[in-house]
Amino acid sequence: MKPLKVGVIGAGRIGRLHAENLVRHIQGAELLWVADVVGEAAAKAAREFGIPKHTTDYHEVLSDLEIDAVLICTSTDTHAEIIRAAAAAKKHIFCEKPLALDLAEIDSVLDAVKEAGVILQVGFHRRFDPNFRRLKELIVEGSIGSPWLLKITSYDPAPPPIAYIRASGGIFLDMTIHDFDMARFLLGEVEEVHAAGSVLVDPEIGAAGDVDTAVVTLKFESGALGVITNCRKASYGHDQRIEVLGEKGGLFAENPLPHTAMLADQEGYRSAPLHHFFVERYREAYVAEMEAFVAAVRNKTAPPVTGLDGKIPVVMGYAAKRSLEEGRPVRLSEIDPALDAG
Amino acid sequence: MKPLKVGVIGAGRIGRLHAENLVRHIQGAELLWVADVVGEAAAKAAREFGIPKHTTDYHEVLSDLEIDAVLICTSTDTHAEIIRAAAAAKKHIFCEKPLALDLAEIDSVLDAVKEAGVILQVGFHRRFDPNFRRLKELIVEGSIGSPWLLKITSYDPAPPPIAYIRASGGIFLDMTIHDFDMARFLLGEVEEVHAAGSVLVDPEIGAAGDVDTAVVTLKFESGALGVITNCRKASYGHDQRIEVLGEKGGLFAENPLPHTAMLADQEGYRSAPLHHFFVERYREAYVAEMEAFVAAVRNKTAPPVTGLDGKIPVVMGYAAKRSLEEGRPVRLSEIDPALDAG
Amino acid sequence: MKPLKVGVIGAGRIGRLHAENLVRHIQGAELLWVADVVGEAAAKAAREFGIPKHTTDYHEVLSDLEIDAVLICTSTDTHAEIIRAAAAAKKHIFCEKPLALDLAEIDSVLDAVKEAGVILQVGFHRRFDPNFRRLKELIVEGSIGSPWLLKITSYDPAPPPIAYIRASGGIFLDMTIHDFDMARFLLGEVEEVHAAGSVLVDPEIGAAGDVDTAVVTLKFESGALGVITNCRKASYGHDQRIEVLGEKGGLFAENPLPHTAMLADQEGYRSAPLHHFFVERYREAYVAEMEAFVAAVRNKTAPPVTGLDGKIPVVMGYAAKRSLEEGRPVRLSEIDPALDAG
Amino acid sequence: MKPLKVGVIGAGRIGRLHAENLVRHIQGAELLWVADVVGEAAAKAAREFGIPKHTTDYHEVLSDLEIDAVLICTSTDTHAEIIRAAAAAKKHIFCEKPLALDLAEIDSVLDAVKEAGVILQVGFHRRFDPNFRRLKELIVEGSIGSPWLLKITSYDPAPPPIAYIRASGGIFLDMTIHDFDMARFLLGEVEEVHAAGSVLVDPEIGAAGDVDTAVVTLKFESGALGVITNCRKASYGHDQRIEVLGEKGGLFAENPLPHTAMLADQEGYRSAPLHHFFVERYREAYVAEMEAFVAAVRNKTAPPVTGLDGKIPVVMGYAAKRSLEEGRPVRLSEIDPALDAG
């Protein structure tokens, strides 16, 4: 089969990560273009990863007839525009989360993608983590029977800059959104969320109108309950664990450690701190995510994370936000009546 | 020092457990009486544990001038009456939780105890678990700086009989009450609770007007958040874990296992299931709890779990109950205005 | 059944431990006497554990017709004499290891016990550790099929005083002897041992003619291999682990920790150091050992650790000693031709 | 810097593994040739990994002036000849272990390499495992002070075919050789070895003149002791662990698991079985090993595993073999008098 010809749009941290994975670890794809509004960023990535062409104008990538697919790794506020342009150019699309912060915008974008008949995969990389995948398999195999109670622990090592927080849409749309996706991935659709939040890490985060520590309770359509705990700071690294209690047993996906060496002395046993952050923690997941995208496009199969999978966690984020503001549980259908499956 | 002369009132499972601990493992105390309305239960305990006297009428114990202290291990609805009688007889009191299900009753009982000048210790045994005590010490030592987020996992191996559930006051007053106490023990006073619940284990529990699976969110006066997850059934045993995330690090108290033997084969590594239930899981805690009571009475020091410690978790239980019924967070001061410290 | 009337001979550390266990934790036995050549030691133990009678002359205990059994917890060089006297007085005997350091002496003692028809149990307490018992059960149940390779890790927290080492018979007869017993307990009889040793912890130990670090290889009659690693010092506590590799899988008995609390911070995860030494590590084992002795005497059943079980590890200790001295593997039958089962 | 031009000689399992790593994961190197006496194997590897040229005659690779370095991944009996030819052609050399089974041959090969002035790195991949590297760092940092006792556990999942065993030189030269290298890597030079062995896995292995289960005791020049346990079969996977006890503490490198998901049910907690074998277990190590070789050649620095590092484990293997045959400890200087540093 002919290799997939790919262009990456956005050469920031995540764009570079995907570019490097494509070049070094992914079979069946060739990276031909890198675009970034900052010319030097594009040039640097091209140089470092051996990408033949670079530009400051992503339209150049889209108008290259050789290109089959693009990876959209720019800032969130540009996603919708680029997706529309890429769909119009009949390019398959991998887009980082969130698709957009405006729900109407997301709907319009999904329509454009559908009309163009191209594949859209959204960047929820945690679904590709080998530990969480194994958890999912164990649920699907029925190892614990019906799932009753899901617990997701998700802490970052340190908060991002305040400017980032201001533009992020808040903790629920920026950070919890990954956990919302994971909750759906593992236990299916959610009907209602309740959020509690507090400013404990940094008062500046509060001044920016956000919280930095949160507890979000979920009610699934199945009747199961869930709880997500988030914090912008954990001194010991990127703490990412999942538990599921079910009828017949419990499942636990613990943090993988960078190495297994331990030191014992008079103060006890000491093992490694966690992986620092997502780049290290989800290294394998990012590769597997890109392999899955390349495979979906080449084999013309449904992508493992669809456009709707990109939208619903945004709805959940708004529901959590409203719950926190109004001090009450909020049904997803309050945010998007289309989701009232009941 | 003269040994403490003790009588145990109630010879059911928990009364027998305390009696056996007193006789076999506690220094400085002598068990002279056992009372139970079921004569044969009292006689059997007397015989088995070598207790000199037994009766069906607890007043006989209270009127024995030799007796210094009583352990109240009867059904909840009799606690208030017996505490009042014991206080009137100037006996020191160890009473199983909850003191009563009616808050006015609790207040009246606490008044009676205060007036009599006797010591009252309430049976929150988990405070004496060596693992949780070590967690508390680590918090107090400042190992993690300010605590931000508390997570308590508390599952029972199997639900009690439906008749028990009907009389229990519901999951929050029967099961979560221990976790409410633990939350206060570790992070101080709570201002507000939000409860979500579901009937997943057994529809009969729902028919009895209760839930069997719950997620309770706590807001502490300090601004910290907490979450308690409860389930009436975990096939792998009595799952009891606590985590605290703080400014400088995280703390974890894992389940102690009955033994450390592991088997590795083609299906992986297999370690022991958890201790079945509280009798096994908290064996050491029950002994330490009784030692603490005996020491408090003999040394005339404050008991480690006071009457107020017995009351507040009941308030929290009612707040959780109301939260579940009304689908909104409930402040403790709504239940007991006296708790509005704000 | 009438309680067993017991006297303890020797009120040093291990004598006091057994006395306290008998008084506080063992049903069906009554401790009537404590004897110690140091009168104050006997008096102190009597006072502290409420033992009615004490003496400096153990013959007084043996001549008390009420006494059914004695615990011999004196220094090794007095064991043989006291066992003979106790057997002559028809008392059942629990004796700390080793029975004696002289093999002929051991044989003569075993003859005396046999002739008197009394029960003799030897103090190999590790057999009663719940973790190692579970390992044994798993072997017996066939969970790993035929055992092929046994690995025993056995380190002390710190070396004993040099004077003790001089009188101890050397590391193999003092420390490894417990591991020799465990090897036989788990995998059956040993044919040959090879020992390597080094003086690394303290040159004074070398000056006293002993080694402080050793690796002992075992060949079992079954063809299985074993290896024991010993060291007189491990800064992190009493490290006591066992592994068995077999046809169908592996078994592992890890160290139980004093508590399960863990602290995570920038340097990683920190759990408790090990139990300091045998008193803490084998607390439950000592109780179970004494319960087993009391049960064997009361039920007139074979003791779980027989006189022969007391002798063979001494033979193994001499074989290891000779192996180290002569730099070659030594068969047990070289030390005691009676053991040549081949 | 110009990329290193590489040819791989031998397209069996390990040759293909290195080829794939070079093509997919190693920066700064280009794979130009693959040679294998089986033409179809060479052609297949060329096709699969996109290697431009393939041949059945490795001399063709050596005579290509563009080629800087070769990887020798053929059967052991051809190593010496190919190394000599490669050295004569002034190619840098990466050679799989063992260099040869004949010590004189090894010496002659090392002379040839030295004379040619090319770099030779030997394929002891375990030195590049991140867990064992961390252990080494912790030793070097002095975390445990002087190392006293090294324990290496090294089991394979299943024995190789009998034909392979017959040609392998026996367990000590085929399997233990890796552990001998690890022992030197961590604690320095060894003076004496003692080996015990047994045929437990498969009588055919015994019929082929080899053992399948072994315990090898090491005496280091430093006075430290070591023990290696080997078995050709562990049903639960490739068990590879290392412990070091030292003056100030203990170090432990546990097995990394394929994933962290665990299932708890009535039979306990079940985690993943180990990685099946070396390809999975040492995936990262093989990449790091090749990166180190490419870096050493490009930077003209000493390789991390030298020719002497390739020789000494073979000496140790012969010493273990003689020890097993003669039933006595054997000094390395008995095998190679040049090693008598004493």
Side-chain angles (χ1 to χ4, degrees):
Chain A
M1 211 186 315
K2 215 169 55 89
L4 195 74
K5 304 290 165 53
V6 181
V8 62
I9 301 173
R13 183 162 58 172
I14 193 74
R16 289 173 53 85
L17 187 156
H18 287 307
E20 184 172 1
N21 281 343
L22 262 176
V23 167
R24 294 191 56 186
H25 303 299
I26 309 289
Q27 310 272 46
E30 234 173 277
L31 188 51
L32 297 190
W33 276 102
V34 55
D36 197 290
V37 286
V38 180
E40 181 42 37
K44 184 164 173 254
R47 204 165 52 238
E48 283 180 30
F49 306 123
I51 308 170
K53 288 177 276 187
H54 60 95
T55 176
T56 57
D57 179 7
Y58 72 83
H59 295 97
E60 236 186 310
V61 181
L62 297 182
S63 59
D64 183 337
L65 293 178
E66 237 197 324
I67 286 293
D68 300 307
V70 291
L71 315 181
I72 304 177
C73 305
T74 55
S75 61
T76 298
D77 57 333
T78 65
H79 287 177
E81 176 203 309
I82 306 179
I83 296 174
R84 268 192 223 98
K90 302 290 182 198
K91 308 302 187 194
H92 299 291
I93 301 160
F94 173 90
C95 183
E96 276 303 322
K97 67 89 212 171
L99 289 171
L101 287 180
D102 184 82
L103 284 172
E105 185 85 300
I106 293 179
D107 283 339
S108 119
V109 151
L110 297 188
D111 285 348
V113 164
K114 196 174 176 186
E115 207 170 304
V118 295
I119 281 174
L120 167 65
Q121 180 175 324
V122 179
F124 284 124
H125 60 279
R126 293 188 196 166
R127 291 192 181 204
F128 300 90
D129 175 70
N131 311 295
F132 299 154
R133 288 192 90 80
R134 183 69 192 127
L135 209 69
K136 165 92 172 181
E137 284 167 23
L138 285 162
I139 293 172
V140 170
E141 287 168 13
S143 66
I144 57 163
S146 303
W148 289 342
L149 186 47
L150 169 72
K151 290 160 66 180
I152 300 179
T153 299
S154 180
Y155 308 153
D156 283 354
I162 294 297
Y164 175 95
I165 282 180
R166 274 202 198 95
S168 71
I171 193 168
F172 301 121
L173 285 159
D174 177 52
M175 191 171 159
T176 324
I177 193 170
H178 284 290
D179 308 305
F180 288 144
D181 178 62
M182 186 52 65
R184 293 181 63 241
F185 177 60
L186 294 174
L187 261 73
E189 298 303 339
V190 166
E191 270 181 1
E192 188 182 286
V193 307
H194 172 265
S198 212
V199 179
L200 297 160
V201 176
D202 185 353
E204 297 253 345
I205 294 174
D210 202 358
V211 296
D212 52 38
T213 308
V215 175
V216 183
T217 304
L218 310 174
K219 287 192 191 170
F220 290 89
E221 285 185 1
S222 67
L225 298 177
V227 65
I228 297 164
T229 45
N230 286 140
C231 188
R232 286 285 191 186
K233 183 178 163 191
S235 71
Y236 54 98
H238 197 32
D239 192 349
Q240 303 273 296
R241 284 169 290 143
I242 302 179
E243 292 183 27
V244 192
L245 174 68
E247 195 187 353
K248 296 198 224 152
L251 290 171
F252 306 85
E254 297 294 324
N255 285 301
L257 292 181
H259 62 79
T260 65
M262 275 198 310
L263 171 64
D265 60 19
Q266 278 157 308
E267 291 171 53
Y269 286 74
R270 210 173 310 163
S271 56
L274 296 181
H275 285 293
H276 176 61
F277 209 175
F278 62 93
V279 173
E280 299 83 17
R281 169 65 174 82
Y282 290 111
R283 198 169 47 82
E284 286 170 285
Y286 282 112
V287 172
E289 173 185 63
M290 202 45 59
E291 276 172 348
F293 174 65
V294 169
V297 174
R298 296 181 88 196
N299 306 327
K300 298 186 202 321
T301 54
V305 192
T306 67
L308 190 64
D309 291 331
K311 175 186 171 183
I312 295 178
V314 178
V315 175
M316 294 170 81
Y318 281 111
K321 214 166 166 175
R322 189 177 295 175
S323 171
L324 185 70
E325 282 158 14
E326 304 185 1
R328 64 175 183 89
V330 171
R331 294 178 65 85
L332 268 55
S333 57
E334 286 189 52
I335 305 298
D336 183 358
L339 294 182
D340 200 357
Chain B
M1 211 186 315
K2 217 169 53 89
L4 195 74
K5 304 290 165 47
V6 181
V8 62
I9 301 172
R13 183 163 57 171
I14 193 74
R16 289 173 53 86
L17 186 156
H18 288 307
E20 183 172 3
N21 281 343
L22 263 175
V23 167
R24 296 191 54 186
H25 304 299
I26 309 287
Q27 309 273 47
E30 235 171 277
L31 189 50
L32 296 191
W33 276 103
V34 55
D36 197 291
V37 286
V38 180
E40 181 41 35
K44 184 165 175 252
R47 203 165 53 238
E48 281 181 31
F49 306 123
I51 308 170
K53 290 177 276 190
H54 60 95
T55 175
T56 57
D57 178 7
Y58 74 82
H59 295 95
E60 232 186 313
V61 181
L62 297 181
S63 59
D64 183 338
L65 292 178
E66 236 197 323
I67 285 292
D68 300 308
V70 291
L71 315 182
I72 304 177
C73 305
T74 53
S75 62
T76 298
D77 58 333
T78 65
H79 287 178
E81 174 204 310
I82 306 180
I83 295 174
R84 268 193 222 97
K90 303 291 181 197
K91 307 302 188 195
H92 299 291
I93 301 160
F94 173 91
C95 182
E96 275 303 322
K97 66 90 210 173
L99 288 172
L101 287 179
D102 183 82
L103 283 173
E105 184 85 300
I106 292 179
D107 283 338
S108 118
V109 150
L110 295 188
D111 285 346
V113 164
K114 196 174 176 185
E115 206 170 303
V118 296
I119 281 174
L120 167 65
Q121 179 174 325
V122 180
F124 283 124
H125 61 278
R126 292 188 196 168
R127 291 191 181 206
F128 300 91
D129 175 70
N131 311 296
F132 299 154
R133 289 192 89 79
R134 183 69 193 128
L135 209 69
K136 166 91 172 182
E137 283 167 22
L138 285 162
I139 293 171
V140 170
E141 287 168 12
S143 66
I144 57 162
S146 303
W148 290 342
L149 186 47
L150 169 73
K151 290 159 67 180
I152 300 180
T153 300
S154 179
Y155 308 153
D156 284 354
I162 294 298
Y164 175 94
I165 282 181
R166 274 202 198 95
S168 71
I171 193 169
F172 301 122
L173 284 159
D174 177 52
M175 190 171 161
T176 325
I177 192 169
H178 283 291
D179 308 305
F180 288 143
D181 179 62
M182 186 51 66
R184 293 181 64 241
F185 177 60
L186 294 174
L187 261 73
E189 298 303 340
V190 166
E191 271 181 1
E192 190 182 286
V193 308
H194 171 266
S198 215
V199 179
L200 297 159
V201 176
D202 185 353
E204 297 254 345
I205 294 175
D210 203 358
V211 295
D212 52 38
T213 308
V215 175
V216 183
T217 305
L218 309 175
K219 287 192 190 170
F220 290 89
E221 285 185 1
S222 67
L225 299 177
V227 66
I228 297 164
T229 44
N230 287 140
C231 188
R232 287 284 192 187
K233 182 177 165 193
S235 71
Y236 55 98
H238 197 31
D239 192 351
Q240 302 273 296
R241 284 169 291 143
I242 302 180
E243 292 183 28
V244 192
L245 175 68
E247 194 188 353
K248 296 197 223 153
L251 290 172
F252 307 84
E254 298 294 324
N255 286 302
L257 293 181
H259 62 78
T260 64
M262 277 198 309
L263 170 65
D265 61 18
Q266 278 158 307
E267 290 171 53
Y269 286 76
R270 210 173 310 163
S271 54
L274 297 181
H275 286 293
H276 177 61
F277 209 176
F278 63 93
V279 173
E280 299 84 16
R281 169 66 175 82
Y282 290 111
R283 198 168 47 82
E284 287 170 283
Y286 282 112
V287 172
E289 174 184 63
M290 202 44 59
E291 276 173 347
F293 175 63
V294 169
V297 174
R298 296 181 87 195
N299 305 327
K300 300 187 200 320
T301 53
V305 193
T306 67
L308 190 64
D309 292 330
K311 175 186 172 183
I312 296 179
V314 178
V315 175
M316 295 170 80
Y318 281 111
K321 215 166 165 172
R322 188 176 299 175
S323 170
L324 184 70
E325 282 158 15
E326 304 185 2
R328 63 174 183 91
V330 172
R331 294 178 65 85
L332 268 55
S333 57
E334 286 189 50
I335 305 299
D336 183 358
L339 293 182
D340 199 357
Chain C
M1 211 187 312
K2 216 169 53 92
L4 195 73
K5 303 291 165 49
V6 181
V8 61
I9 300 172
R13 184 162 59 172
I14 193 73
R16 289 172 54 85
L17 187 155
H18 287 307
E20 184 172 0
N21 281 344
L22 263 175
V23 167
R24 294 190 57 186
H25 303 298
I26 308 289
Q27 310 272 49
E30 235 172 279
L31 189 50
L32 296 191
W33 276 103
V34 55
D36 198 290
V37 286
V38 180
E40 181 42 36
K44 185 164 173 253
R47 203 164 52 237
E48 281 180 31
F49 306 123
I51 307 169
K53 289 177 277 190
H54 59 96
T55 175
T56 56
D57 178 7
Y58 74 82
H59 295 97
E60 234 186 310
V61 181
L62 297 181
S63 60
D64 182 339
L65 293 177
E66 237 195 323
I67 285 292
D68 300 307
V70 290
L71 315 181
I72 304 177
C73 305
T74 54
S75 61
T76 299
D77 58 332
T78 64
H79 287 177
E81 174 204 311
I82 306 179
I83 295 174
R84 267 192 224 98
K90 302 290 180 198
K91 308 301 186 196
H92 300 290
I93 301 161
F94 174 91
C95 183
E96 277 302 323
K97 66 91 209 171
L99 288 172
L101 287 179
D102 183 83
L103 284 172
E105 184 86 299
I106 293 179
D107 283 339
S108 119
V109 150
L110 296 188
D111 285 347
V113 164
K114 197 174 175 188
E115 205 170 305
V118 294
I119 282 174
L120 166 65
Q121 179 174 324
V122 180
F124 284 123
H125 59 279
R126 293 188 196 166
R127 292 192 180 205
F128 300 90
D129 175 70
N131 311 295
F132 300 153
R133 287 191 90 78
R134 183 68 193 128
L135 209 69
K136 166 90 171 182
E137 283 167 23
L138 285 162
I139 293 172
V140 170
E141 286 167 14
S143 65
I144 57 163
S146 302
W148 289 342
L149 186 47
L150 168 73
K151 290 159 66 179
I152 300 180
T153 300
S154 178
Y155 308 153
D156 284 353
I162 294 297
Y164 175 95
I165 282 180
R166 273 201 200 96
S168 70
I171 192 168
F172 301 121
L173 284 160
D174 177 52
M175 191 170 160
T176 323
I177 193 171
H178 283 290
D179 308 306
F180 289 142
D181 178 62
M182 185 54 64
R184 293 181 64 242
F185 177 59
L186 294 174
L187 261 72
E189 298 304 339
V190 166
E191 270 180 1
E192 188 182 287
V193 307
H194 172 266
S198 213
V199 179
L200 298 160
V201 176
D202 184 353
E204 297 253 345
I205 295 174
D210 202 358
V211 295
D212 51 40
T213 308
V215 174
V216 183
T217 305
L218 311 174
K219 287 192 192 169
F220 290 89
E221 286 185 0
S222 67
L225 298 177
V227 65
I228 297 165
T229 46
N230 285 141
C231 188
R232 286 283 191 187
K233 183 178 165 193
S235 71
Y236 54 98
H238 198 31
D239 192 350
Q240 301 275 294
R241 284 170 289 143
I242 301 179
E243 293 184 27
V244 192
L245 175 69
E247 195 188 352
K248 296 197 222 151
L251 290 171
F252 307 85
E254 298 293 324
N255 285 301
L257 293 181
H259 61 79
T260 65
M262 275 198 309
L263 170 65
D265 60 19
Q266 278 158 308
E267 290 170 54
Y269 286 75
R270 211 173 310 163
S271 55
L274 296 181
H275 285 293
H276 177 60
F277 209 176
F278 63 93
V279 173
E280 300 84 15
R281 169 65 174 83
Y282 290 110
R283 199 169 44 84
E284 287 170 284
Y286 281 112
V287 173
E289 173 185 63
M290 202 44 59
E291 276 172 346
F293 175 65
V294 169
V297 175
R298 295 181 87 196
N299 305 327
K300 298 188 202 320
T301 53
V305 192
T306 67
L308 190 63
D309 292 329
K311 174 187 172 183
I312 296 178
V314 178
V315 175
M316 294 170 81
Y318 282 111
K321 216 167 164 172
R322 188 176 297 175
S323 170
L324 184 70
E325 283 158 13
E326 304 184 2
R328 63 174 182 91
V330 172
R331 294 179 64 86
L332 268 55
S333 57
E334 287 188 50
I335 305 298
D336 183 358
L339 294 181
D340 200 358
Chain D
M1 211 188 312
K2 218 169 52 91
L4 195 74
K5 304 290 166 46
V6 181
V8 62
I9 301 171
R13 184 163 58 170
I14 193 74
R16 289 173 54 86
L17 186 156
H18 287 307
E20 184 171 2
N21 282 343
L22 263 175
V23 168
R24 294 192 56 186
H25 304 298
I26 309 288
Q27 309 273 49
E30 236 171 277
L31 189 50
L32 296 190
W33 275 103
V34 55
D36 198 289
V37 286
V38 180
E40 181 42 35
K44 184 164 175 255
R47 203 164 54 239
E48 281 181 30
F49 307 124
I51 307 170
K53 290 177 276 190
H54 60 95
T55 175
T56 56
D57 178 7
Y58 72 84
H59 295 97
E60 235 187 309
V61 181
L62 296 180
S63 60
D64 182 338
L65 294 177
E66 238 196 323
I67 285 292
D68 300 307
V70 291
L71 315 182
I72 304 177
C73 306
T74 53
S75 61
T76 297
D77 57 334
T78 65
H79 287 177
E81 173 204 311
I82 305 180
I83 295 174
R84 268 192 222 99
K90 302 292 182 196
K91 308 302 186 193
H92 299 291
I93 301 159
F94 173 91
C95 183
E96 277 303 324
K97 66 90 210 172
L99 289 171
L101 287 180
D102 183 82
L103 284 171
E105 184 85 300
I106 292 180
D107 283 337
S108 118
V109 150
L110 295 188
D111 285 347
V113 165
K114 197 174 175 186
E115 205 170 304
V118 296
I119 282 174
L120 167 65
Q121 180 174 323
V122 180
F124 284 123
H125 60 279
R126 293 188 196 167
R127 291 192 180 204
F128 300 90
D129 175 71
N131 311 295
F132 300 154
R133 288 191 89 80
R134 183 68 193 126
L135 209 70
K136 165 91 171 182
E137 283 167 25
L138 285 162
I139 292 172
V140 170
E141 286 168 12
S143 66
I144 58 163
S146 303
W148 290 342
L149 187 45
L150 169 73
K151 290 159 67 180
I152 299 179
T153 299
S154 179
Y155 307 154
D156 284 353
I162 294 297
Y164 175 95
I165 282 180
R166 274 202 198 95
S168 71
I171 193 169
F172 301 122
L173 285 160
D174 177 52
M175 189 170 161
T176 324
I177 193 170
H178 284 290
D179 307 305
F180 288 143
D181 179 62
M182 185 53 65
R184 293 181 64 240
F185 176 59
L186 294 174
L187 261 73
E189 298 303 339
V190 166
E191 271 180 1
E192 188 181 287
V193 308
H194 172 266
S198 214
V199 179
L200 297 160
V201 176
D202 184 354
E204 297 254 344
I205 295 174
D210 203 357
V211 295
D212 51 38
T213 308
V215 175
V216 183
T217 306
L218 310 175
K219 287 192 190 169
F220 290 89
E221 286 185 1
S222 68
L225 298 178
V227 65
I228 297 164
T229 44
N230 287 140
C231 188
R232 286 285 191 187
K233 183 176 165 194
S235 71
Y236 54 100
H238 196 31
D239 192 349
Q240 301 274 296
R241 283 169 290 142
I242 301 179
E243 292 184 27
V244 192
L245 174 68
E247 195 188 351
K248 296 196 222 153
L251 290 171
F252 307 85
E254 298 294 324
N255 285 301
L257 293 181
H259 62 79
T260 65
M262 276 197 309
L263 170 65
D265 60 18
Q266 278 157 307
E267 289 170 55
Y269 286 75
R270 209 173 312 162
S271 55
L274 296 181
H275 285 293
H276 177 61
F277 210 177
F278 63 93
V279 173
E280 301 83 16
R281 168 66 175 81
Y282 289 110
R283 198 170 45 83
E284 288 170 282
Y286 281 112
V287 173
E289 173 185 63
M290 203 42 61
E291 277 172 346
F293 175 64
V294 169
V297 174
R298 295 180 88 195
N299 305 327
K300 299 187 202 319
T301 54
V305 192
T306 67
L308 190 63
D309 291 331
K311 174 187 172 181
I312 296 178
V314 178
V315 175
M316 295 170 80
Y318 282 110
K321 215 166 166 172
R322 188 176 299 174
S323 171
L324 184 69
E325 283 158 13
E326 303 185 3
R328 63 175 182 90
V330 172
R331 294 179 64 85
L332 268 55
S333 57
E334 285 188 51
I335 305 299
D336 183 358
L339 294 183
D340 200 357

